[in-house]
Amino acid sequence: MSCVAMPVLTQQSALAADDVRPVKVAVEGGFPPFNYLDAQEKLQGFDVDIARALCDAAKLSCEFVVQKWEAMIPDLLAKRYDLIISSMSMSAERRQKVAFTDTYYNSPSVFVVRKDSTLTRIDAETLQGVSLGVTSTTAQAAFVDQHYRPATPVTVFPASPDLYKGLADGSVDVIMEDKLAIYDWLTNTKAGQCCEVRGDDILDPTFFGEGAGIAMRREDDDLRLRLNKALAAIKSDGTYDMINAQYFPFSIQ
């Protein structure tokens, strides 16, 4: 599947050095609080702020592109943009196609239910016949395909907001989602008050990799090294912690 990426915002670094490199950065724009479009259709979120900081530190002139999630890697390989900074987990499957930087944040996956759910534990046995929701083309969807189908009926939603709405309105009984991604919806929205995390955190490097990384084409190793150096710099000078604190009351490194 492929789609034409739609530029919505150009963020040019103020750097004047001759070695500033222009790059295009793909962001989904539908995964709050990590990346989303505000009322003025401008990109906001943790991923976006980290990307801007990295662009400055790495001397990159970055143009942001809003890109549908399903086409993220295919369009990167087709050279429609140069980087994906959009909470992409570094799974073994994705590593076969693209290169990643060092981890820029880490988060387990969790199951979320409505507060009136009778489920006291969640596993392959208790979810037999229970409707389970995931977001399309995610590590969570791959994990569910492997461990819960066909005994568990699975509904695949196009984006995270649709997934959350499906749980709230009863379209599905349980959803599986990134813990940090759903934190904002559960704690800061009226709709999210319906629901809660239930069961243990899920950490499986086969599906979820070693956290979220910045994806690029394998041949762009110089860009990977440049970004790794920039990531270390914003962590050591306090920039990362300052951005982290704007979104979460705890460290997500």
Short mmCIF file of all heavy atoms in Angstrom, two decimals, residues 187-230:
data_model
loop_
_atom_site.label_atom_id
_atom_site.label_comp_id
_atom_site.label_asym_id
_atom_site.label_seq_id
_atom_site.Cartn_x
_atom_site.Cartn_y
_atom_site.Cartn_z
N THR A 187 -5.83 9.60 31.33
CA THR A 187 -5.68 10.52 32.46
C THR A 187 -6.15 11.94 32.17
O THR A 187 -6.51 12.67 33.10
CB THR A 187 -4.21 10.58 32.91
OG1 THR A 187 -3.39 10.99 31.81
CG2 THR A 187 -3.74 9.23 33.42
N ASN A 188 -6.16 12.34 30.91
CA ASN A 188 -6.41 13.76 30.60
C ASN A 188 -7.64 14.02 29.74
O ASN A 188 -7.86 15.16 29.33
CB ASN A 188 -5.18 14.37 29.91
CG ASN A 188 -3.96 14.34 30.80
OD1 ASN A 188 -4.06 14.53 32.02
ND2 ASN A 188 -2.79 14.11 30.21
N THR A 189 -8.42 12.98 29.44
CA THR A 189 -9.63 13.21 28.63
C THR A 189 -10.85 12.67 29.36
O THR A 189 -10.77 11.70 30.13
CB THR A 189 -9.53 12.53 27.25
OG1 THR A 189 -9.62 11.10 27.41
CG2 THR A 189 -8.24 12.89 26.54
N LYS A 190 -11.99 13.30 29.09
CA LYS A 190 -13.25 12.85 29.69
C LYS A 190 -13.61 11.45 29.19
O LYS A 190 -14.06 10.60 29.97
CB LYS A 190 -14.36 13.84 29.36
CG LYS A 190 -15.69 13.52 30.02
CD LYS A 190 -16.73 14.58 29.72
CE LYS A 190 -18.06 14.24 30.38
NZ LYS A 190 -19.09 15.29 30.10
N ALA A 191 -13.42 11.23 27.89
CA ALA A 191 -13.76 9.92 27.32
C ALA A 191 -12.95 8.81 27.96
O ALA A 191 -13.44 7.70 28.18
CB ALA A 191 -13.54 9.95 25.81
N GLY A 192 -11.68 9.10 28.29
CA GLY A 192 -10.81 8.08 28.84
C GLY A 192 -11.12 7.66 30.26
O GLY A 192 -10.60 6.64 30.74
N GLN A 193 -11.99 8.42 30.93
CA GLN A 193 -12.35 8.08 32.31
C GLN A 193 -13.14 6.77 32.39
O GLN A 193 -13.32 6.21 33.47
CB GLN A 193 -13.15 9.22 32.94
CG GLN A 193 -12.39 10.53 33.04
CD GLN A 193 -11.08 10.39 33.79
OE1 GLN A 193 -11.05 9.95 34.94
NE2 GLN A 193 -9.99 10.74 33.14
N CYS A 194 -13.61 6.29 31.23
CA CYS A 194 -14.38 5.04 31.20
C CYS A 194 -13.55 3.81 31.47
O CYS A 194 -14.06 2.75 31.82
CB CYS A 194 -15.02 4.88 29.82
SG CYS A 194 -13.81 4.62 28.49
N CYS A 195 -12.24 3.96 31.32
CA CYS A 195 -11.42 2.76 31.09
C CYS A 195 -10.16 2.77 31.94
O CYS A 195 -9.77 3.80 32.51
CB CYS A 195 -11.06 2.68 29.61
SG CYS A 195 -12.52 2.70 28.51
N GLU A 196 -9.49 1.61 32.00
CA GLU A 196 -8.28 1.49 32.80
C GLU A 196 -7.40 0.36 32.27
O GLU A 196 -7.87 -0.56 31.59
CB GLU A 196 -8.63 1.20 34.26
CG GLU A 196 -9.34 -0.12 34.50
CD GLU A 196 -9.77 -0.32 35.94
OE1 GLU A 196 -9.72 0.67 36.71
OE2 GLU A 196 -10.18 -1.44 36.29
N VAL A 197 -6.12 0.45 32.60
CA VAL A 197 -5.17 -0.62 32.28
C VAL A 197 -5.46 -1.79 33.21
O VAL A 197 -5.71 -1.61 34.41
CB VAL A 197 -3.72 -0.14 32.46
CG1 VAL A 197 -2.75 -1.31 32.32
CG2 VAL A 197 -3.39 0.96 31.46
N ARG A 198 -5.41 -3.00 32.64
CA ARG A 198 -5.61 -4.19 33.47
C ARG A 198 -4.63 -5.27 33.02
O ARG A 198 -4.42 -5.48 31.84
CB ARG A 198 -7.04 -4.69 33.37
CG ARG A 198 -7.43 -5.63 34.52
CD ARG A 198 -8.92 -5.80 34.61
NE ARG A 198 -9.61 -4.56 35.00
CZ ARG A 198 -10.94 -4.45 35.09
NH1 ARG A 198 -11.70 -5.50 34.84
NH2 ARG A 198 -11.50 -3.30 35.44
N GLY A 199 -4.04 -5.95 33.98
CA GLY A 199 -3.06 -6.98 33.66
C GLY A 199 -1.65 -6.43 33.71
O GLY A 199 -1.40 -5.26 34.01
N ASP A 200 -0.69 -7.27 33.37
CA ASP A 200 0.73 -6.92 33.44
C ASP A 200 1.19 -6.19 32.18
O ASP A 200 0.61 -6.33 31.11
CB ASP A 200 1.57 -8.19 33.61
CG ASP A 200 1.26 -8.92 34.91
OD1 ASP A 200 0.91 -8.25 35.90
OD2 ASP A 200 1.35 -10.17 34.91
N ASP A 201 2.28 -5.42 32.34
CA ASP A 201 2.95 -4.84 31.17
C ASP A 201 3.46 -5.96 30.27
O ASP A 201 3.84 -7.03 30.75
CB ASP A 201 4.14 -3.98 31.60
CG ASP A 201 3.71 -2.70 32.29
OD1 ASP A 201 2.51 -2.39 32.30
OD2 ASP A 201 4.61 -2.01 32.82
N ILE A 202 3.46 -5.70 28.97
CA ILE A 202 3.91 -6.69 28.00
C ILE A 202 5.18 -6.18 27.32
O ILE A 202 5.17 -5.15 26.64
CB ILE A 202 2.82 -6.97 26.95
CG1 ILE A 202 1.55 -7.46 27.64
CG2 ILE A 202 3.31 -8.00 25.93
CD1 ILE A 202 0.34 -7.39 26.77
N LEU A 203 6.26 -6.90 27.53
CA LEU A 203 7.56 -6.55 26.94
C LEU A 203 8.06 -7.77 26.17
O LEU A 203 8.47 -8.76 26.76
CB LEU A 203 8.56 -6.16 28.03
CG LEU A 203 8.27 -4.86 28.76
CD1 LEU A 203 9.09 -4.76 30.04
CD2 LEU A 203 8.58 -3.66 27.86
N ASP A 204 8.00 -7.70 24.86
CA ASP A 204 8.45 -8.80 24.01
C ASP A 204 9.31 -8.20 22.89
O ASP A 204 8.78 -7.62 21.94
CB ASP A 204 7.25 -9.54 23.43
CG ASP A 204 7.65 -10.79 22.66
OD1 ASP A 204 8.76 -10.81 22.09
OD2 ASP A 204 6.85 -11.74 22.60
N PRO A 205 10.63 -8.30 22.99
CA PRO A 205 11.51 -7.66 22.00
C PRO A 205 11.31 -8.16 20.58
O PRO A 205 11.61 -7.45 19.62
CB PRO A 205 12.92 -7.97 22.51
CG PRO A 205 12.76 -9.13 23.44
CD PRO A 205 11.39 -8.99 24.04
N THR A 206 10.76 -9.38 20.42
CA THR A 206 10.51 -9.89 19.07
C THR A 206 9.52 -9.00 18.34
O THR A 206 9.67 -8.74 17.14
CB THR A 206 9.96 -11.33 19.13
OG1 THR A 206 10.91 -12.16 19.79
CG2 THR A 206 9.69 -11.86 17.74
N PHE A 207 8.52 -8.51 19.05
CA PHE A 207 7.48 -7.68 18.44
C PHE A 207 7.68 -6.19 18.71
O PHE A 207 7.43 -5.36 17.84
CB PHE A 207 6.10 -8.10 18.95
CG PHE A 207 5.68 -9.46 18.48
CD1 PHE A 207 5.95 -10.58 19.24
CD2 PHE A 207 5.03 -9.61 17.26
CE1 PHE A 207 5.58 -11.85 18.80
CE2 PHE A 207 4.66 -10.87 16.81
CZ PHE A 207 4.94 -11.98 17.58
N PHE A 208 8.12 -5.85 19.90
CA PHE A 208 8.19 -4.44 20.29
C PHE A 208 9.61 -3.88 20.25
O PHE A 208 9.81 -2.69 20.51
CB PHE A 208 7.59 -4.26 21.68
CG PHE A 208 6.21 -4.85 21.78
CD1 PHE A 208 5.94 -5.89 22.65
CD2 PHE A 208 5.18 -4.39 20.98
CE1 PHE A 208 4.67 -6.46 22.73
CE2 PHE A 208 3.90 -4.95 21.05
CZ PHE A 208 3.65 -5.97 21.93
N GLY A 209 10.57 -4.75 19.94
CA GLY A 209 11.93 -4.28 19.81
C GLY A 209 12.47 -3.77 21.13
O GLY A 209 12.05 -4.18 22.21
N GLU A 210 13.39 -2.84 21.04
CA GLU A 210 14.03 -2.27 22.23
C GLU A 210 13.64 -0.81 22.35
O GLU A 210 14.48 0.07 22.53
CB GLU A 210 15.54 -2.44 22.12
CG GLU A 210 15.97 -3.91 22.03
CD GLU A 210 17.42 -4.10 21.69
OE1 GLU A 210 18.08 -3.07 21.42
OE2 GLU A 210 17.89 -5.24 21.71
N GLY A 211 12.35 -0.55 22.25
CA GLY A 211 11.87 0.81 22.35
C GLY A 211 11.66 1.45 20.99
O GLY A 211 11.72 0.79 19.95
N ALA A 212 11.39 2.74 21.01
CA ALA A 212 11.15 3.50 19.77
C ALA A 212 12.46 4.08 19.24
O ALA A 212 13.28 4.59 20.01
CB ALA A 212 10.15 4.62 20.03
N GLY A 213 12.63 4.00 17.95
CA GLY A 213 13.82 4.55 17.31
C GLY A 213 13.45 5.35 16.08
O GLY A 213 12.30 5.35 15.64
N ILE A 214 14.41 6.06 15.53
CA ILE A 214 14.23 6.84 14.32
C ILE A 214 14.65 5.96 13.14
O ILE A 214 15.78 5.45 13.11
CB ILE A 214 15.06 8.12 14.36
CG1 ILE A 214 14.61 8.98 15.54
CG2 ILE A 214 14.95 8.89 13.05
CD1 ILE A 214 15.56 10.11 15.87
N ALA A 215 13.75 5.78 12.20
CA ALA A 215 14.01 4.89 11.06
C ALA A 215 14.53 5.67 9.86
O ALA A 215 14.12 6.81 9.61
CB ALA A 215 12.73 4.15 10.67
N MET A 216 15.42 5.01 9.12
CA MET A 216 15.96 5.59 7.88
C MET A 216 16.37 4.45 6.96
O MET A 216 16.38 3.28 7.37
CB MET A 216 17.17 6.49 8.18
CG MET A 216 18.38 5.73 8.66
SD MET A 216 19.35 6.68 9.84
CE MET A 216 18.23 6.74 11.22
N ARG A 217 16.70 4.77 5.72
CA ARG A 217 17.16 3.74 4.81
C ARG A 217 18.53 3.21 5.26
O ARG A 217 19.34 3.95 5.84
CB ARG A 217 17.24 4.30 3.38
CG ARG A 217 15.87 4.61 2.79
CD ARG A 217 15.98 5.21 1.40
NE ARG A 217 16.56 6.55 1.42
CZ ARG A 217 15.87 7.68 1.67
NH1 ARG A 217 14.57 7.62 1.93
NH2 ARG A 217 16.48 8.84 1.65
N ARG A 218 18.77 1.95 5.01
CA ARG A 218 19.98 1.30 5.49
C ARG A 218 21.26 1.95 4.96
O ARG A 218 22.29 1.96 5.64
CB ARG A 218 19.96 -0.18 5.13
CG ARG A 218 19.02 -1.01 6.00
CD ARG A 218 19.12 -2.47 5.64
NE ARG A 218 18.56 -3.32 6.68
CZ ARG A 218 18.60 -4.64 6.65
NH1 ARG A 218 19.17 -5.25 5.62
NH2 ARG A 218 18.06 -5.34 7.63
N GLU A 219 21.19 2.50 3.78
CA GLU A 219 22.40 3.08 3.20
C GLU A 219 22.77 4.43 3.82
O GLU A 219 23.87 4.94 3.60
CB GLU A 219 22.24 3.24 1.68
CG GLU A 219 21.11 4.15 1.24
CD GLU A 219 19.82 3.42 0.95
OE1 GLU A 219 19.61 2.34 1.55
OE2 GLU A 219 19.04 3.92 0.12
N ASP A 220 21.87 5.00 4.61
CA ASP A 220 22.12 6.33 5.20
C ASP A 220 22.79 6.22 6.56
O ASP A 220 22.34 6.81 7.55
CB ASP A 220 20.81 7.11 5.31
CG ASP A 220 20.28 7.54 3.96
OD1 ASP A 220 21.08 7.64 3.01
OD2 ASP A 220 19.06 7.78 3.85
N ASP A 221 23.89 5.49 6.62
CA ASP A 221 24.54 5.25 7.91
C ASP A 221 25.14 6.52 8.48
O ASP A 221 25.19 6.70 9.70
CB ASP A 221 25.62 4.18 7.78
CG ASP A 221 26.01 3.59 9.11
OD1 ASP A 221 25.10 3.14 9.84
OD2 ASP A 221 27.21 3.59 9.45
N ASP A 222 25.58 7.44 7.61
CA ASP A 222 26.12 8.70 8.12
C ASP A 222 25.05 9.50 8.85
O ASP A 222 25.30 10.13 9.88
CB ASP A 222 26.71 9.53 6.97
CG ASP A 222 25.67 9.88 5.92
OD1 ASP A 222 24.74 9.07 5.69
OD2 ASP A 222 25.78 10.97 5.31
N LEU A 223 23.83 9.44 8.35
CA LEU A 223 22.71 10.13 8.99
C LEU A 223 22.38 9.48 10.33
O LEU A 223 22.09 10.17 11.32
CB LEU A 223 21.50 10.11 8.06
CG LEU A 223 20.26 10.91 8.49
CD1 LEU A 223 20.60 12.37 8.75
CD2 LEU A 223 19.17 10.79 7.42
N ARG A 224 22.44 8.16 10.38
CA ARG A 224 22.19 7.45 11.64
C ARG A 224 23.20 7.86 12.71
O ARG A 224 22.83 8.16 13.86
CB ARG A 224 22.25 5.93 11.41
CG ARG A 224 21.94 5.10 12.65
CD ARG A 224 22.09 3.61 12.36
NE ARG A 224 23.46 3.27 12.02
CZ ARG A 224 24.42 3.03 12.93
NH1 ARG A 224 24.13 3.10 14.23
NH2 ARG A 224 25.64 2.72 12.55
N LEU A 225 24.47 7.89 12.34
CA LEU A 225 25.52 8.27 13.29
C LEU A 225 25.36 9.72 13.75
O LEU A 225 25.56 10.05 14.92
CB LEU A 225 26.90 8.06 12.65
CG LEU A 225 27.26 6.60 12.33
CD1 LEU A 225 28.58 6.53 11.56
CD2 LEU A 225 27.34 5.76 13.60
N ARG A 226 24.99 10.57 12.81
CA ARG A 226 24.78 11.98 13.13
C ARG A 226 23.64 12.16 14.14
O ARG A 226 23.74 12.94 15.09
CB ARG A 226 24.47 12.72 11.82
CG ARG A 226 24.55 14.22 11.86
CD ARG A 226 24.57 14.73 10.43
NE ARG A 226 24.62 16.17 10.35
CZ ARG A 226 24.88 16.86 9.25
NH1 ARG A 226 25.14 16.20 8.13
NH2 ARG A 226 24.91 18.17 9.26
N LEU A 227 22.56 11.40 13.95
CA LEU A 227 21.42 11.49 14.85
C LEU A 227 21.73 10.86 16.21
O LEU A 227 21.27 11.36 17.25
CB LEU A 227 20.20 10.83 14.22
CG LEU A 227 19.54 11.65 13.11
CD1 LEU A 227 18.58 10.79 12.31
CD2 LEU A 227 18.80 12.85 13.70
N ASN A 228 22.49 9.77 16.23
CA ASN A 228 22.87 9.18 17.51
C ASN A 228 23.70 10.15 18.34
O ASN A 228 23.52 10.27 19.56
CB ASN A 228 23.65 7.88 17.29
CG ASN A 228 22.76 6.69 17.02
OD1 ASN A 228 21.57 6.72 17.31
ND2 ASN A 228 23.32 5.65 16.45
N LYS A 229 24.59 10.87 17.69
CA LYS A 229 25.40 11.87 18.38
C LYS A 229 24.51 12.99 18.91
O LYS A 229 24.68 13.46 20.04
CB LYS A 229 26.46 12.42 17.43
CG LYS A 229 27.42 13.41 18.07
CD LYS A 229 28.49 13.86 17.08
CE LYS A 229 29.44 14.86 17.73
NZ LYS A 229 30.49 15.31 16.76
N ALA A 230 23.54 13.42 18.11
CA ALA A 230 22.62 14.48 18.52
C ALA A 230 21.74 14.02 19.68
O ALA A 230 21.46 14.79 20.61
CB ALA A 230 21.76 14.91 17.33
#
